[in-house]
């Protein structure tokens, strides 16, 4: 079975990495799909996010990295994905995730969404908070991999 793990990953954090590693143990292939929404202002370009995530997972045979725009269901159909993986950090994520999964189900009934509960050590993490702390020179070493620490240093 092929799983797609979509997100902005601006930048990827240890919380995302935990979800990807766990999903890769359960599925034949996990495609990390980076959303490139033209209306959004990202800190890292689509190519930068692709390079960073490729660097992290380069030694994994069943993890692929790609970027997409448009609807997730169209992309899932295009790559032949059976399942969408999403991580749930807290109850606050639940409503939004529920709404998205229901919408996707209406658009593509055969595509299932499966939720993995984020490890509790990552439940407070978010990409925006990492960026904020990094922008003030705070220590983000325990929240993101080294490649992201270095890339954030270059940005700020
Ligand atoms: N650990 C740490 N942080 C996590 C996390 C985890 N396991 N899971 C999510 N997050 C954080 C992210 O860091 C991000 O933080 P931020 O808001 O501070 O940047 C936030 O949760 C949400 O990010 P993400 O998981 O990347 O989702 P998203 O909301 O950016 O993107 C898509 C969601 C890509 C799935 C959705 O927008 C989509 O499918 N878009 C395509 C268009 C489409 O089909 N629309 C119709 C959908 S019904």
């Amino acid at each position: 079975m092929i799983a797609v793990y979509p997100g902005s990953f601006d930048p990827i954090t240890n919380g995302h990495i935990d979800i990807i590693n766990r999903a890769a143990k359960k599925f034949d292939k996990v495609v990390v799909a980076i959303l490139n929404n033209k209306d959004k202002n990202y800190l890292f370009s689509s190519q930068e996010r692709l390079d960073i995530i490729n660097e992290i997972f380069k030694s994994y045979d069943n993890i692929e990295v790609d970027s997409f725009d448009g609807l997730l269901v169209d992309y899932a159909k295009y790559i032949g994905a059976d399942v969408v993986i999403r991580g749930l950090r807290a109850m606050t994520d639940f409503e939004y995730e529920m709404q998205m999964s229901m919408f996707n189900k209406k658009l593509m009934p055969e595509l299932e969404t499966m939720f993995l509960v984020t490890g509790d050590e990552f439940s407070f993490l978010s990409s925006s908070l990492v960026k904020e702390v990094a922008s003030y020179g705070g220590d983000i070493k325990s929240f993101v991999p080294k490649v992201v620490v270095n890339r954030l240093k270059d940005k700020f």
Side-chain angles (χ1 to χ4, degrees):
M1 282 225 283
I2 300 177
V4 58
Y5 181 49
S8 304
F9 306 111
D10 187 38
I12 191 166
T13 68
N14 289 344
H16 296 124
I17 292 171
D18 169 55
I19 298 283
I20 297 166
N21 281 325
R22 285 160 55 202
K25 291 190 183 125
K26 302 288 177 206
F27 293 93
D28 299 312
K29 184 161 97 177
V30 175
V31 179
V32 181
I34 303 164
L35 177 67
N36 190 22
N37 181 340
K38 304 213 164 34
D39 302 325
K40 259 193 173 182
N41 270 329
Y42 299 106
L43 177 65
F44 292 98
S45 70
S46 168
Q47 189 60 47
E48 286 174 313
R49 287 176 284 150
L50 198 78
D51 292 345
I52 291 170
I53 303 175
N54 263 325
E55 169 74 28
I56 296 167
F57 294 107
K58 62 182 175 212
S59 58
Y60 291 72
D61 291 339
N62 70 334
I63 300 174
E64 284 180 14
V65 190
D66 195 8
S67 64
F68 76 105
D69 55 16
L71 285 179
L72 175 62
V73 288
D74 290 337
Y75 178 72
K77 216 171 276 171
Y78 170 68
I79 60 164
D82 307 285
V83 168
V84 177
I85 298 289
R86 296 286 293 164
L88 279 183
R89 286 166 302 172
M91 283 311 283
T92 42
D93 282 343
F94 187 73
E95 210 168 314
Y96 170 61
E97 293 296 338
M98 185 79 180
Q99 195 183 13
M100 245 186 348
S101 72
M102 285 170 133
F103 220 114
N104 285 334
K105 189 116 199 110
K106 291 278 180 229
L107 297 171
M108 186 178 167
E110 65 275 28
L111 184 71
E112 295 292 351
T113 301
M114 291 189 185
F115 296 107
L116 292 183
V117 176
T118 302
D120 56 3
E121 66 272 44
F122 307 120
S123 58
F124 61 91
L125 251 185
S126 82
S127 301
S128 324
L129 282 180
V130 165
K131 282 182 280 194
E132 188 177 329
V133 173
S135 73
Y136 291 113
D139 184 0
I140 48 160
K141 275 201 298 292
S142 46
F143 312 129
V144 291
K146 199 156 193 285
V147 53
V148 174
V149 174
N150 292 338
R151 295 282 192 136
L152 281 166
K153 267 191 199 139
D154 294 343
K155 290 276 177 196
F156 296 114

